[in-house]
Amino acid sequence: MENDLKYMRFLDYFSLEGKFDELVGIALFGLGRAGTIQLQNLLSCVRSQVCYVVEESQERLRVVEDKYKHKIPNAKFVRVTHISSLLKDPSVRAVIVCTPTFSHKDIVCKALAAGKHVFCEKPVAETNEDVRECYNTAKAHNVKLFCAFNRRYDPGLRSIKNKVLKGELGDVYLIKTTSRDSPIPSIEYLRSSGGIFHDCAVHDIDAVCWLMGEKPIRVQVFGSLLSPPLKELEGRDFDTVTISFQFASGKLALIDLSRNACYGYDQRCEVFGSKGMLENLNNRPNGIQQQTYNATKQDPILYSFPSRYQESYQIELQYFLDLVVGNAKEEVLQEDVLAVTRIASACEKSAKEGIVVNLDW
Amino acid sequence: MENDLKYMRFLDYFSLEGKFDELVGIALFGLGRAGTIQLQNLLSCVRSQVCYVVEESQERLRVVEDKYKHKIPNAKFVRVTHISSLLKDPSVRAVIVCTPTFSHKDIVCKALAAGKHVFCEKPVAETNEDVRECYNTAKAHNVKLFCAFNRRYDPGLRSIKNKVLKGELGDVYLIKTTSRDSPIPSIEYLRSSGGIFHDCAVHDIDAVCWLMGEKPIRVQVFGSLLSPPLKELEGRDFDTVTISFQFASGKLALIDLSRNACYGYDQRCEVFGSKGMLENLNNRPNGIQQQTYNATKQDPILYSFPSRYQESYQIELQYFLDLVVGNAKEEVLQEDVLAVTRIASACEKSAKEGIVVNLDW
Amino acid sequence: MENDLKYMRFLDYFSLEGKFDELVGIALFGLGRAGTIQLQNLLSCVRSQVCYVVEESQERLRVVEDKYKHKIPNAKFVRVTHISSLLKDPSVRAVIVCTPTFSHKDIVCKALAAGKHVFCEKPVAETNEDVRECYNTAKAHNVKLFCAFNRRYDPGLRSIKNKVLKGELGDVYLIKTTSRDSPIPSIEYLRSSGGIFHDCAVHDIDAVCWLMGEKPIRVQVFGSLLSPPLKELEGRDFDTVTISFQFASGKLALIDLSRNACYGYDQRCEVFGSKGMLENLNNRPNGIQQQTYNATKQDPILYSFPSRYQESYQIELQYFLDLVVGNAKEEVLQEDVLAVTRIASACEKSAKEGIVVNLDW
Amino acid sequence: MENDLKYMRFLDYFSLEGKFDELVGIALFGLGRAGTIQLQNLLSCVRSQVCYVVEESQERLRVVEDKYKHKIPNAKFVRVTHISSLLKDPSVRAVIVCTPTFSHKDIVCKALAAGKHVFCEKPVAETNEDVRECYNTAKAHNVKLFCAFNRRYDPGLRSIKNKVLKGELGDVYLIKTTSRDSPIPSIEYLRSSGGIFHDCAVHDIDAVCWLMGEKPIRVQVFGSLLSPPLKELEGRDFDTVTISFQFASGKLALIDLSRNACYGYDQRCEVFGSKGMLENLNNRPNGIQQQTYNATKQDPILYSFPSRYQESYQIELQYFLDLVVGNAKEEVLQEDVLAVTRIASACEKSAKEGIVVNLDW
């Protein structure tokens, strides 16, 4: 029963004792894909209240206000220029940042300096120096900065982590992850994405290091550009890469990434140890199985991240609210965030120079 | 992609053109398990607005108001005695009835007579005569009465229905459904439940008739009471039954029901035809697979109806709103509702008298 | 490891100590489908030696002799008329009977009377009186008569039986089996098959009674003829039937049968009890899974009985040899064989008369 | 139906027209694990006749003769010293070599020089020079030398190869294989095994190159020794390795190997391309699924190679017989065999020196 998280949440809704202790007022920045997911989840989250919805595009802001205003009648829909005044509003206890990467550092630091807890989509900032500044600001103002590596809140991956910690796998020998995007990103997006390592691989790198409880000391990568529609990126980026890690303990990891799988959003993880193996297999939209003369068929795996990680986003939001009210301890640490960036850069170097890159920690 | 309904809903949230045409004001009656599910779903449903939350128990009403008031600040939390005044409120366009069965008819008829569309958890009323009166009232006031057979909105079952209609199975020969409840209901509940046929079997009977597009002309049932904790019901109810149908076309159906499966809420359906077979298999909480020396293991299937049919409840609500604004045609007809009750009574008679019962239509 | 029966057999072949104690000389009667399977299995079975291959058709006998003679150079290929002389040959210790049903009783009784152990494909004889005579002959000559209900030797079904006996399911409440034939039998075969109950249902009836450890006291059946190519059998036989059993203990069973599933040989069994559920799912020819834009696909389930029950036939043969040399106790008893026939006849009566049939034991 | 290879073989046994054109006389060398598997398969293979069984150990030879003599009464059981005389026997058309690696070259060359076709377990010889001499001998005497990479005859892997050739995957981007041995080999075996690359990785390297239709130009490997019972091999061998390949086309491959998986013989392959993905998943001993309060369970995957590759060995033998009688073309070429060895050596160098190794072809 306790693995059926949807049922556990129902029990929580239904309970007579479920009254939250503290209602958390939220300002949400950014109404792109991630921001829309957060807004939708905030509507049904009884522990929170949306105070401000902030978006740079006037047009997008108006559309969202039209659509959502009646669900959050006390919320204000404003542009980013209102940041100073809204950060003075004491009803805002936390800020969720889903704006484009270049704007993260400014919003994050201002919010932290105003004493607001911050949830920020990865990466927290564009350079490690800026990331450090963000964390220093959080520390100085005694508030939390949460970098949203949302896969850590995937029920499957979390279950693997818990089983590893409980020793169900014995000694871990090898971790493998596969991440293949769906649908194929636009060439415009890819041109400014920062490259496959900093844009995509960071999620897998974080997951692998988190599960392993170690950081790799040797990194090797092969990268290729194989998909015809992406050929113009040749020499600047890859669409298919294999990443190999060796850890100080001798343990190993393999990651493979692709910018596009036509059959859906392929997200798998496997941990192999002395007492067995755990796999987080792809999720499916329903339990239909069709048998015909030619084949046994199921519907394709989930198509993209909003459906595949729907539950992760919801659980991550609950975790952040627990962090805000002091009911949870920090799980994504500054050192994790910095390490992931450093490893991603090592991957890029290995792929471009054709060498094994060593890392000291 | 179109089978990934969660992703399709995301596209709808995210779309710039997603603005609903008509906002539907809702009065929700009843805050038990079904009512809580509806309330939680209404929070995030941008096409609707909760105007009233109605509950008989003062204590339950206060708890829910405390917990939910800030999410629906314009809603009123009232007791059922306020029904007349709230039905006069023009902001209420539809009523959702999740109260105990004995109170359905009164609320449903008053709401319909006041020109409100009605969503009512099954059964619409306690007797077929009362059911007919409800539908007559709906017709007289030109509003919709929707009997919420929520399994019809399960993505898996709906997919089977669509594939059958498209002819993917050829001629249908046999339909089988399995429904085993989890957790075991309390003996108090069972004493007043109306019996396994009218309380449980109606869902499977409706599903089978809907999928088959026919009503059975011969019904046979074996019933037993096998679970020790339920032994006091001996002679009054069964906890395990098998139901067999033969249709005028010669097609066949088998249903098996149990009041309790320890391994989770077992809900399966299978349709066998000349061109193949479709199964709606049990749903699981995650994609974890663990391999050990002794076994390959997955977490148990979903534990109970709030998780298993979570998506059905959401889709059913959208369907009802479409019905209210005139974008959908009636799917659960008066004749369906009456037929299900009649078949359930025939099942009961067959089990008690040990005979095959014939039905004329 | 012990569930990997193929590996356990390899260990047995490979073992230095694997030398059989007693070599069993065999006369094989009949070279149809069942006989061919037995012959092929006997070739690689080191505990046995084929002494005679017996077949009525001179043409078939010559073809088989041509093809197999060099693999069993000491075997004689003869017609049934040689039965008396070959039964005098002391090198023959056991007889395997795979001839048409009408000839069973004569061969079986002669072989038993000559002191040979007998393996006979079901049914042992055409009438219950003849079946009793066969068993009496076996008893009189102190030899074994084994009626080959080969599904009992299916590794999956056997595993269920063992788990039920060990109490892993707690109290058994319900057993369900599905048997759908593939490919569709010829109309010529069906005209003389004895009908779906005596030809097909007997396997499921035996399996259900064996697993339950009880015989049903109430039987109800609906039967239809739905497949267009079989329409000429209307009024004489059914191609789709549902069978319901109630046992004295109140336990229940459901069987559904079809003469044809286009998607392969559908053979499933499910046992539901107070501590869980066991399913014997369909077997597949390989582990291939293909993911495309439209579907996730596997190859169809096994096509027909020679592949689906290949392993059962091999294990059944080993069991019979154990029975012959005194290393196993009788598992398919005379009373089982007689009961199955009686229940099949009750099924036929229920289907034809539209009534529930009671059975006393 | 055509994917159900067991059924297709049954049709072949049963057919009236199945008479083989040419019976192939066989001398089998070696009665270890591989030789025992071959012997057992030869018993039931009607196209072949075992003329000689050859084994160095007198004791093992006697045991096998005792156990098998009556199944192949015309075969002679002799020691390797009899090689010259048996190779003069014209009834021997082909030789199957399953002896220890060090003896391969001598037996293979003598047999080829005597005009016998040769089936040899990998590797054909200990050095590439000796391998070339073997192939030159075959060419000089116009007979076939078949190096038994048996995974190519696994029905799953063969199905992937065929689908790739038919273009069902579009352009192939990435191939991944996993091979984890079970049970753990003895330390005695490992000391003289030639190391994980030449002993194990060769199978995966051959499979990857065969599926890709290319040979890698860049190879990178991380190797570790992680299993406590194997610690004495530290510095001499690895028990866990990851292998990465980049091909001239830019395509990529990942292989991971382990000397021991406690949960069974883990053998998986995955091919990812522009039109989808194909996986060859692990095979299971039966179709049992058990649902309990705590988990849904299946029996573990197949335990070791004799069960997992049972069907591959049978199909490989049929292929070799087709090769002998001229009904098949050569599939495992001299250049494949030499390339695999060269790539395995490059892997070893990469692991030991911590560098990416480039290969010219």
Side-chain angles (χ1 to χ4, degrees):
Chain A
M1 184 177 97
E2 56 282 356
N3 294 315
D4 183 352
L5 300 178
K6 287 178 189 167
Y7 185 70
M8 299 307 280
R9 285 197 290 278
F10 164 75
L11 288 184
D12 199 39
Y13 302 145
F14 186 55
S15 160
L16 291 170
E17 298 163 13
K19 194 174 170 295
F20 46 85
D21 293 322
E22 306 180 60
L23 191 62
V24 179
I26 303 276
L28 172 66
F29 282 74
L31 292 170
R33 295 190 299 173
T36 300
I37 291 169
Q38 297 295 344
L39 178 55
Q40 194 67 33
N41 287 338
L42 286 164
L43 292 186
S44 56
C45 168
V46 295
R47 305 169 59 188
S48 70
Q49 188 148 26
V50 179
C51 303
Y52 292 88
V53 175
V54 191
E55 163 62 35
E56 196 45 34
S57 154
Q58 186 70 38
E59 187 197 354
R60 177 86 189 139
L61 188 64
R62 282 294 77 83
V63 167
V64 174
E65 184 170 1
D66 263 13
K67 199 166 169 180
Y68 283 93
K69 182 66 190 173
H70 65 288
K71 303 304 287 185
I72 40 175
N74 299 326
K76 297 191 183 68
F77 290 76
V78 301
R79 297 189 60 192
V80 180
T81 45
H82 289 66
I83 185 165
S84 304
S85 62
L86 81 83
L87 287 176
K88 284 180 198 132
D89 185 340
S91 69
V92 175
R93 187 155 172 201
V95 167
I96 295 178
V97 182
C98 303
T99 56
T101 299
F102 73 87
S103 65
H104 282 189
K105 190 221 156 187
D106 187 55
I107 299 171
V108 166
C109 283
K110 282 181 177 156
L112 292 166
K116 312 299 184 187
H117 301 285
V118 173
F119 171 121
C120 185
E121 285 296 325
K122 69 93 200 160
V124 167
E126 289 182 297
T127 68
N128 268 356
E129 199 176 328
D130 284 352
V131 171
R132 275 190 207 93
E133 188 181 330
C134 290
Y135 278 101
N136 289 339
T137 309
K139 191 179 288 179
H141 292 84
N142 199 26
V143 283
K144 306 293 188 190
L145 171 55
F146 172 65
C147 178
F149 277 118
N150 82 73
R151 285 196 206 162
R152 292 201 191 186
Y153 301 93
D154 174 59
L157 216 61
R158 178 64 55 152
S159 169
I160 289 183
K161 176 70 177 175
N162 290 339
K163 285 173 189 281
V164 167
L165 288 175
K166 276 190 279 180
E168 290 192 27
L169 283 180
D171 293 324
V172 169
Y173 295 154
L174 175 69
I175 297 180
K176 291 165 71 178
T177 70
T178 292
S179 289
R180 299 176 189 153
D181 207 357
S182 162
I184 192 166
S186 70
I187 196 81
E188 294 71 32
Y189 172 78
L190 292 177
R191 272 188 213 120
S192 65
S193 74
I196 195 167
F197 300 105
H198 287 280
D199 187 40
C200 296
V202 289
H203 287 290
D204 294 83
I205 293 169
D206 179 64
V208 165
C209 294
W210 177 58
L211 289 172
M212 196 63 104
E214 271 191 87
K215 297 183 188 359
I217 59 166
R218 273 185 281 277
V219 172
Q220 190 276 334
V221 177
F222 286 132
S224 294
L225 193 77
L226 297 170
S227 182
L230 306 181
K231 276 296 176 192
E232 73 150 83
L233 299 172
E234 188 73 60
R236 284 186 293 157
D237 202 353
F238 306 109
D239 64 357
T240 316
V241 306
T242 61
I243 300 175
S244 309
F245 289 162
Q246 192 167 41
F247 297 84
S249 57
K251 295 171 183 186
L252 301 169
L254 285 177
I255 296 169
D256 72 277
L257 302 174
S258 166
R259 282 294 193 180
N260 185 230
C262 71
Y263 55 89
Y265 188 56
D266 190 350
Q267 298 283 301
R268 285 171 290 156
C269 176
E270 161 182 345
V271 185
F272 166 51
S274 58
K275 292 189 180 167
M277 175 174 64
L278 280 162
E279 288 174 279
N280 193 21
L281 299 171
N282 280 311
N283 296 359
R284 299 191 169 279
N286 59 52
I288 288 292
Q289 187 170 78
Q290 182 169 14
Q291 310 228 20
T292 70
Y293 181 77
N294 293 310
T296 299
K297 294 190 285 190
Q298 296 175 278
D299 283 333
I301 61 170
L302 293 176
Y303 184 70
S304 195
F305 78 95
S307 46
R308 172 62 184 84
Y309 287 118
Q310 185 189 60
E311 223 176 340
S312 316
Y313 279 108
Q314 291 168 358
I315 296 169
E316 182 186 53
L317 178 59
Q318 296 303 317
Y319 167 75
F320 176 64
L321 295 174
D322 282 336
L323 195 64
V324 166
V325 302
N327 283 340
K329 61 178 201 144
E330 282 186 89
E331 288 182 347
V332 182
L333 305 178
Q334 174 179 359
E335 63 173 275
D336 298 343
V337 173
L338 294 170
V340 165
T341 304
R342 195 173 153 214
I343 297 165
S345 297
C347 288
E348 198 164 18
K349 181 182 171 74
S350 173
K352 290 192 170 155
E353 301 182 12
I355 57 167
V356 176
V357 175
N358 296 313
L359 289 167
D360 280 326
W361 298 99
Chain B
M1 183 177 96
E2 56 282 357
N3 295 314
D4 184 352
L5 300 178
K6 288 179 188 167
Y7 185 70
M8 299 307 280
R9 284 195 290 278
F10 164 76
L11 288 185
D12 198 40
Y13 301 145
F14 186 55
S15 159
L16 291 171
E17 297 163 16
K19 194 173 170 297
F20 46 86
D21 293 322
E22 305 180 61
L23 191 61
V24 179
I26 303 275
L28 172 66
F29 282 74
L31 292 170
R33 295 190 300 174
T36 301
I37 291 169
Q38 297 296 343
L39 178 56
Q40 194 67 34
N41 287 338
L42 286 164
L43 292 185
S44 56
C45 168
V46 295
R47 303 168 61 189
S48 71
Q49 188 147 25
V50 178
C51 303
Y52 293 88
V53 175
V54 191
E55 162 62 34
E56 196 44 35
S57 155
Q58 185 71 40
E59 188 197 354
R60 178 85 188 140
L61 188 66
R62 283 291 80 82
V63 167
V64 173
E65 184 170 1
D66 263 13
K67 199 165 170 180
Y68 283 93
K69 181 67 190 172
H70 65 287
K71 302 304 288 187
I72 41 175
N74 298 327
K76 297 191 181 70
F77 291 75
V78 300
R79 296 188 62 191
V80 180
T81 46
H82 289 65
I83 185 165
S84 304
S85 61
L86 80 84
L87 287 176
K88 286 180 197 130
D89 186 339
S91 69
V92 175
R93 188 157 171 199
V95 168
I96 295 178
V97 182
C98 303
T99 55
T101 299
F102 73 87
S103 64
H104 282 189
K105 189 221 156 187
D106 187 55
I107 299 171
V108 166
C109 283
K110 282 181 176 157
L112 292 167
K116 313 301 184 187
H117 300 285
V118 173
F119 172 120
C120 184
E121 285 296 325
K122 68 92 200 160
V124 167
E126 289 181 296
T127 67
N128 266 358
E129 199 178 328
D130 284 351
V131 170
R132 275 190 207 94
E133 189 182 329
C134 291
Y135 277 101
N136 288 340
T137 308
K139 192 178 288 178
H141 293 84
N142 199 27
V143 282
K144 306 294 188 191
L145 170 55
F146 172 66
C147 178
F149 277 118
N150 81 73
R151 287 198 205 160
R152 293 203 192 184
Y153 302 92
D154 174 59
L157 216 60
R158 177 64 56 153
S159 168
I160 288 183
K161 175 70 178 175
N162 290 339
K163 284 172 190 282
V164 167
L165 288 174
K166 275 191 280 180
E168 290 192 28
L169 284 180
D171 293 323
V172 170
Y173 295 153
L174 175 70
I175 298 180
K176 291 165 70 179
T177 70
T178 292
S179 290
R180 299 178 189 152
D181 207 359
S182 162
I184 192 167
S186 70
I187 196 81
E188 293 72 32
Y189 172 79
L190 292 176
R191 271 188 215 123
S192 65
S193 74
I196 195 167
F197 300 105
H198 287 279
D199 188 40
C200 296
V202 288
H203 287 290
D204 294 83
I205 293 169
D206 179 64
V208 165
C209 294
W210 177 59
L211 290 171
M212 196 64 103
E214 270 191 89
K215 297 184 188 358
I217 58 164
R218 274 186 280 277
V219 173
Q220 190 276 334
V221 177
F222 286 132
S224 295
L225 194 77
L226 297 169
S227 183
L230 305 182
K231 276 296 175 192
E232 72 149 84
L233 299 171
E234 188 74 59
R236 284 184 294 157
D237 203 353
F238 305 109
D239 64 358
T240 315
V241 305
T242 60
I243 299 175
S244 309
F245 288 163
Q246 193 167 39
F247 297 84
S249 57
K251 296 173 183 185
L252 301 168
L254 285 177
I255 297 169
D256 72 276
L257 303 174
S258 166
R259 282 292 193 182
N260 185 230
C262 71
Y263 55 88
Y265 188 57
D266 190 350
Q267 297 283 301
R268 285 172 288 157
C269 177
E270 161 183 345
V271 184
F272 166 52
S274 57
K275 293 191 180 165
M277 175 174 63
L278 281 162
E279 288 174 281
N280 194 19
L281 299 170
N282 280 311
N283 295 0
R284 300 192 168 279
N286 59 52
I288 289 292
Q289 186 170 80
Q290 182 168 13
Q291 311 227 20
T292 70
Y293 181 76
N294 294 310
T296 299
K297 294 189 285 188
Q298 297 175 278
D299 284 333
I301 60 171
L302 293 176
Y303 183 71
S304 195
F305 78 94
S307 46
R308 173 62 184 86
Y309 288 118
Q310 185 188 58
E311 223 174 341
S312 316
Y313 280 107
Q314 292 168 358
I315 296 169
E316 181 186 53
L317 178 59
Q318 296 304 316
Y319 166 75
F320 176 65
L321 295 173
D322 282 337
L323 195 65
V324 166
V325 302
N327 283 340
K329 62 178 200 142
E330 281 185 89
E331 288 182 346
V332 182
L333 306 178
Q334 175 179 358
E335 63 172 275
D336 298 343
V337 173
L338 292 172
V340 165
T341 304
R342 195 173 153 213
I343 297 165
S345 296
C347 289
E348 199 163 17
K349 180 181 171 75
S350 173
K352 290 194 170 155
E353 301 182 12
I355 57 168
V356 176
V357 175
N358 296 312
L359 288 168
D360 279 326
W361 298 101
Chain C
M1 183 178 95
E2 57 281 358
N3 294 313
D4 184 352
L5 300 179
K6 288 178 187 166
Y7 185 69
M8 299 307 280
R9 284 196 290 277
F10 164 75
L11 289 184
D12 198 39
Y13 302 144
F14 186 55
S15 159
L16 291 171
E17 297 162 16
K19 195 174 169 294
F20 46 86
D21 293 322
E22 305 179 60
L23 192 60
V24 178
I26 302 275
L28 171 66
F29 282 73
L31 292 170
R33 294 190 300 174
T36 300
I37 291 170
Q38 297 295 343
L39 178 56
Q40 194 67 33
N41 287 338
L42 286 164
L43 292 185
S44 56
C45 167
V46 295
R47 304 168 60 189
S48 70
Q49 189 148 26
V50 179
C51 303
Y52 292 88
V53 175
V54 191
E55 163 62 35
E56 197 43 36
S57 154
Q58 186 71 39
E59 187 197 354
R60 177 86 188 139
L61 188 66
R62 282 291 79 81
V63 167
V64 174
E65 183 170 0
D66 263 13
K67 198 166 170 179
Y68 283 93
K69 181 68 190 171
H70 64 287
K71 303 304 287 187
I72 40 176
N74 298 327
K76 298 192 183 66
F77 291 75
V78 300
R79 296 188 62 192
V80 181
T81 45
H82 290 65
I83 185 165
S84 303
S85 61
L86 81 83
L87 287 176
K88 286 182 199 131
D89 185 339
S91 68
V92 176
R93 188 159 171 197
V95 167
I96 296 178
V97 182
C98 303
T99 55
T101 299
F102 74 86
S103 64
H104 283 190
K105 189 221 156 189
D106 187 55
I107 300 170
V108 167
C109 282
K110 282 180 178 157
L112 293 167
K116 312 301 184 188
H117 301 284
V118 173
F119 171 120
C120 185
E121 285 296 325
K122 69 90 200 161
V124 167
E126 288 181 296
T127 67
N128 267 358
E129 199 177 328
D130 284 352
V131 170
R132 275 190 207 93
E133 189 182 329
C134 291
Y135 278 101
N136 288 340
T137 309
K139 192 178 287 178
H141 293 84
N142 199 26
V143 283
K144 306 292 187 190
L145 169 55
F146 172 66
C147 177
F149 276 119
N150 81 73
R151 286 197 206 160
R152 293 203 192 183
Y153 302 92
D154 174 59
L157 215 62
R158 178 64 56 153
S159 168
I160 288 183
K161 176 69 178 175
N162 290 338
K163 285 173 189 281
V164 167
L165 288 175
K166 276 191 279 179
E168 290 193 28
L169 283 181
D171 293 324
V172 170
Y173 294 153
L174 174 70
I175 298 180
K176 291 164 70 178
T177 70
T178 292
S179 290
R180 299 176 189 153
D181 207 358
S182 162
I184 192 167
S186 70
I187 195 81
E188 293 72 31
Y189 172 79
L190 292 176
R191 272 189 214 120
S192 64
S193 74
I196 195 168
F197 300 105
H198 288 280
D199 187 40
C200 296
V202 289
H203 287 290
D204 294 84
I205 293 169
D206 180 64
V208 165
C209 294
W210 176 59
L211 290 171
M212 196 63 103
E214 270 191 89
K215 297 184 188 357
I217 57 164
R218 272 186 281 276
V219 173
Q220 190 276 333
V221 177
F222 286 133
S224 295
L225 193 78
L226 297 169
S227 183
L230 306 182
K231 274 298 176 191
E232 71 150 85
L233 299 171
E234 188 75 58
R236 285 185 293 157
D237 203 353
F238 305 109
D239 64 358
T240 315
V241 306
T242 61
I243 299 175
S244 309
F245 289 163
Q246 192 167 40
F247 297 84
S249 58
K251 296 173 183 185
L252 301 169
L254 286 177
I255 296 169
D256 72 277
L257 303 174
S258 166
R259 282 292 193 182
N260 185 229
C262 72
Y263 55 88
Y265 188 56
D266 190 350
Q267 297 284 301
R268 286 172 287 158
C269 177
E270 159 182 346
V271 184
F272 166 51
S274 58
K275 293 190 180 166
M277 175 174 63
L278 280 163
E279 289 174 279
N280 193 21
L281 299 170
N282 280 311
N283 295 0
R284 300 191 168 280
N286 59 52
I288 288 293
Q289 187 170 79
Q290 181 169 13
Q291 311 227 20
T292 70
Y293 181 77
N294 293 309
T296 299
K297 294 189 285 188
Q298 296 176 278
D299 283 333
I301 60 172
L302 293 177
Y303 183 70
S304 195
F305 79 94
S307 45
R308 172 61 185 85
Y309 289 118
Q310 185 189 59
E311 225 176 339
S312 316
Y313 280 106
Q314 292 169 358
I315 295 169
E316 183 186 51
L317 178 59
Q318 296 303 316
Y319 166 74
F320 176 64
L321 296 173
D322 282 337
L323 195 64
V324 166
V325 302
N327 283 339
K329 61 178 201 145
E330 283 186 88
E331 287 182 347
V332 181
L333 306 178
Q334 173 179 0
E335 62 173 275
D336 298 344
V337 173
L338 292 172
V340 165
T341 304
R342 196 173 152 212
I343 297 166
S345 297
C347 288
E348 199 163 18
K349 180 182 171 75
S350 173
K352 290 192 171 156
E353 302 183 10
I355 57 167
V356 176
V357 175
N358 296 313
L359 289 168
D360 278 327
W361 299 99
Chain D
M1 184 177 97
E2 56 282 356
N3 294 314
D4 183 351
L5 301 178
K6 288 178 188 167
Y7 185 70
M8 299 307 279
R9 284 197 290 278
F10 164 76
L11 288 184
D12 199 39
Y13 301 145
F14 186 55
S15 160
L16 291 170
E17 299 163 13
K19 195 175 168 295
F20 47 87
D21 294 322
E22 305 180 61
L23 191 62
V24 179
I26 302 277
L28 171 65
F29 282 74
L31 292 169
R33 296 191 297 173
T36 300
I37 291 169
Q38 297 296 343
L39 178 55
Q40 194 68 32
N41 287 337
L42 286 164
L43 292 186
S44 56
C45 168
V46 295
R47 304 169 60 189
S48 70
Q49 187 148 26
V50 179
C51 304
Y52 292 89
V53 175
V54 191
E55 162 62 36
E56 196 44 34
S57 154
Q58 186 71 37
E59 187 196 354
R60 178 87 189 137
L61 188 64
R62 283 293 78 83
V63 167
V64 174
E65 184 170 1
D66 263 13
K67 198 166 170 180
Y68 283 94
K69 182 67 191 172
H70 65 289
K71 303 303 288 185
I72 39 176
N74 299 325
K76 297 191 183 68
F77 290 76
V78 301
R79 296 190 60 192
V80 181
T81 45
H82 288 67
I83 186 164
S84 304
S85 61
L86 80 83
L87 287 175
K88 284 180 198 133
D89 184 340
S91 68
V92 175
R93 187 155 173 202
V95 167
I96 296 178
V97 182
C98 303
T99 56
T101 299
F102 74 86
S103 65
H104 282 188
K105 190 222 157 187
D106 187 55
I107 299 171
V108 166
C109 283
K110 282 181 177 156
L112 293 166
K116 314 298 185 189
H117 301 284
V118 173
F119 171 121
C120 185
E121 285 296 324
K122 68 93 198 159
V124 167
E126 290 183 296
T127 68
N128 267 356
E129 199 177 327
D130 283 353
V131 171
R132 275 189 207 93
E133 189 182 330
C134 291
Y135 278 101
N136 289 339
T137 308
K139 191 178 288 177
H141 293 83
N142 199 26
V143 284
K144 307 292 188 192
L145 170 55
F146 172 66
C147 178
F149 278 117
N150 81 74
R151 286 196 206 161
R152 292 201 192 187
Y153 302 92
D154 174 60
L157 215 62
R158 177 63 56 150
S159 170
I160 289 183
K161 176 69 178 176
N162 289 339
K163 285 172 190 282
V164 167
L165 288 175
K166 277 190 279 179
E168 290 192 26
L169 284 180
D171 293 324
V172 170
Y173 294 154
L174 174 70
I175 298 179
K176 291 165 70 179
T177 71
T178 292
S179 290
R180 299 176 189 153
D181 208 357
S182 162
I184 193 167
S186 70
I187 196 81
E188 294 70 32
Y189 172 79
L190 292 176
R191 272 189 214 121
S192 66
S193 75
I196 195 167
F197 300 106
H198 288 279
D199 187 40
C200 297
V202 288
H203 287 290
D204 294 84
I205 293 169
D206 179 65
V208 165
C209 294
W210 177 59
L211 290 171
M212 196 64 104
E214 270 192 87
K215 298 183 187 359
I217 59 165
R218 274 185 280 277
V219 173
Q220 190 276 333
V221 177
F222 286 133
S224 294
L225 193 77
L226 297 170
S227 181
L230 306 181
K231 275 297 176 193
E232 73 150 82
L233 299 170
E234 188 74 59
R236 284 185 293 157
D237 202 353
F238 305 109
D239 63 358
T240 315
V241 306
T242 61
I243 300 175
S244 309
F245 289 162
Q246 193 167 42
F247 297 84
S249 58
K251 295 172 183 185
L252 301 169
L254 285 177
I255 297 169
D256 72 276
L257 303 174
S258 166
R259 281 293 193 180
N260 186 229
C262 72
Y263 55 88
Y265 188 56
D266 190 351
Q267 298 283 301
R268 285 171 289 156
C269 176
E270 162 182 344
V271 184
F272 166 52
S274 58
K275 293 189 180 167
M277 175 174 62
L278 280 163
E279 288 173 279
N280 193 20
L281 299 171
N282 280 311
N283 295 0
R284 298 190 170 279
N286 58 53
I288 289 292
Q289 187 170 79
Q290 181 169 14
Q291 311 227 19
T292 70
Y293 181 77
N294 293 310
T296 299
K297 295 190 285 191
Q298 297 175 277
D299 283 332
I301 60 172
L302 294 177
Y303 183 71
S304 195
F305 78 94
S307 45
R308 173 61 184 86
Y309 288 119
Q310 185 190 58
E311 224 176 340
S312 316
Y313 279 107
Q314 291 169 358
I315 296 169
E316 182 186 52
L317 177 59
Q318 296 303 317
Y319 167 75
F320 176 65
L321 295 174
D322 282 337
L323 196 64
V324 166
V325 301
N327 283 340
K329 59 178 204 147
E330 282 185 88
E331 288 183 347
V332 182
L333 306 177
Q334 173 179 359
E335 63 173 273
D336 299 342
V337 173
L338 293 170
V340 165
T341 306
R342 195 173 154 214
I343 297 164
S345 297
C347 288
E348 197 163 18
K349 180 181 171 75
S350 174
K352 289 193 170 154
E353 301 182 13
I355 58 168
V356 176
V357 175
N358 296 313
L359 288 167
D360 279 325
W361 298 99

